[in-house]
Amino acid sequence: MENYVNTPDMACETVPAPKQAGLSRIGLIVPSSNTTMETELPELFRRQAEATGHKYTFHSARAGMKNVNREELLAMVAKAADCAAAISDANVDAIAYACLVAVMAQGPNAHTGSEESIAQAAAENGHPAAVTSSAGALVRTLQEMGVRKIAMVTPYMKPLTQMVREYIEGAGIEVLDAVSLEVADNLAVGRLDPQNLPQIARDLQHEGAEAIVLSACVQMPSLPAVQLVEDELGLPVITAATATTYEILKVLGHKPSISGAGSLLSGAPVKLPTGI
């Protein structure tokens, strides 16, 4: 039998490999039943790549969660650090914790602690990465836009929608109206038709609102409707997915250049309504 000697050249990796120019790797931590975040984000970044020439790849870790209830959401949270360590093995440049309501279920401003925990797990694994979360991205993006009042759509049961409402209002943003589609099964949420969202948005009580949150959930498909609703209502429209995309681009130092997904990602200044 041939003998092998473990030389420095053959040793397991002990330091992160150098980053490849013109390419960014994005890690996603998603619920095991999520079917939307890994389709909408790659599509958004495909448009970004088409406009800028910079390329992006996606690398996911899944945490068990089938039904959108408090018990399963909190159980998922406990797995986030392990998922972060696993993703960081791919030497990603940024990690997005892509379950908005799992973070919000922990209480006010919980995104800060969740993001710190994920960043620590990646760093301790030898692959530090910038970290955002869908919960943090949504509230920070609204704050950065200067939005004080919104109307929003969620797929959740009413108690969870109320929890999301209170979380957002705890960040200083008033929720004038919130529609609950009351779908408990997370796979069923992913099958909702985004073509129904324009009518749902029309029915929102949005007088006085400065922006519409068309999907306060990373699992509810919304991308095909974002630009349609923004053009029709004349208000900035964001979703958990577009806010997460915005923050990933921000931490990477890349200017948004994405078409057909609302003014937030277009690269142009977002104009809020005046006279409210």
Side-chain angles (χ1 to χ4, degrees):
M1 178 181 292
E2 189 173 352
N3 293 322
Y4 289 90
V5 178
N6 187 21
T7 68
D9 290 340
M10 297 173 63
C12 292
E13 180 185 346
T14 57
V15 295
K19 303 294 185 181
Q20 182 176 337
L23 171 70
S24 296
R25 296 187 185 125
I26 299 169
L28 298 177
I29 300 173
V30 296
S32 56
S33 52
N34 189 283
T35 56
T36 302
M37 201 62 162
E38 292 155 308
T39 56
E40 290 199 343
L41 256 68
E43 170 56 23
L44 288 165
F45 280 91
R46 183 196 66 77
R47 299 181 197 180
Q48 176 79 8
E50 190 174 69
T52 67
H54 192 91
K55 298 186 183 302
Y56 304 87
T57 61
F58 290 84
H59 314 275
S60 299
R62 313 185 81 77
M65 197 272 281
K66 295 180 181 179
N67 296 299
V68 191
N69 58 52
R70 187 174 180 82
E71 293 73 27
E72 289 199 36
L73 291 170
L74 291 176
M76 179 188 166
V77 167
K79 303 165 187 170
D82 288 342
C83 287
I87 286 177
S88 71
D89 282 343
N91 197 22
V92 295
D93 300 283
I95 298 174
Y97 185 14
C99 187
L100 177 141
V101 74
V103 173
M104 291 187 177
Q106 299 174 75
N109 207 40
H111 58 272
T112 301
S114 291
E115 290 165 359
E116 289 173 352
S117 174
I118 289 166
Q120 181 179 351
E124 289 177 351
N125 194 43
H127 294 278
V131 174
T132 186
S133 66
S134 294
L138 183 64
V139 296
R140 284 189 296 258
T141 299
L142 289 169
Q143 290 169 336
E144 182 180 326
M145 291 166 63
V147 170
R148 297 160 298 168
K149 299 179 180 181
I150 65 165
M152 71 176 182
V153 182
T154 87
Y156 310 127
M157 306 301 287
K158 288 181 179 178
L160 278 181
T161 297
Q162 180 61 26
M163 181 197 69
V164 172
R165 180 179 202 147
E166 291 171 359
Y167 194 97
I168 293 172
E169 291 188 333
I173 300 154
E174 183 180 355
V175 180
L176 299 176
D177 192 23
V179 170
S180 300
L181 300 183
E182 298 199 86
V183 182
D185 180 87
N186 206 41
L187 276 176
V189 171
R191 290 192 291 265
L192 291 171
D193 188 349
Q195 302 304 326
N196 294 330
L197 285 173
Q199 184 57 55
I200 294 170
R202 290 182 202 112
D203 293 339
L204 280 170
Q205 297 176 24
H206 53 75
E207 184 177 352
E210 296 167 319
I212 302 293
V213 176
L214 195 60
S215 175
C217 174
V218 296
Q219 172 71 334
M220 187 168 79
S222 58
L223 182 54
V226 170
Q227 193 68 55
L228 291 172
V229 173
E230 183 165 304
D231 291 345
E232 180 178 335
L233 298 185
L235 294 170
V237 172
I238 71 170
T239 70
T242 62
T244 303
T245 298
Y246 179 73
E247 281 221 338
I248 292 172
L249 288 170
K250 195 173 173 182
V251 300
L252 293 175
H254 300 171
K255 181 182 177 181
S257 301
I258 298 171
S259 62
S263 54
L264 173 69
L265 294 178
S266 69
V270 178
K271 296 180 180 179
L272 300 185
T274 58
I276 293 177

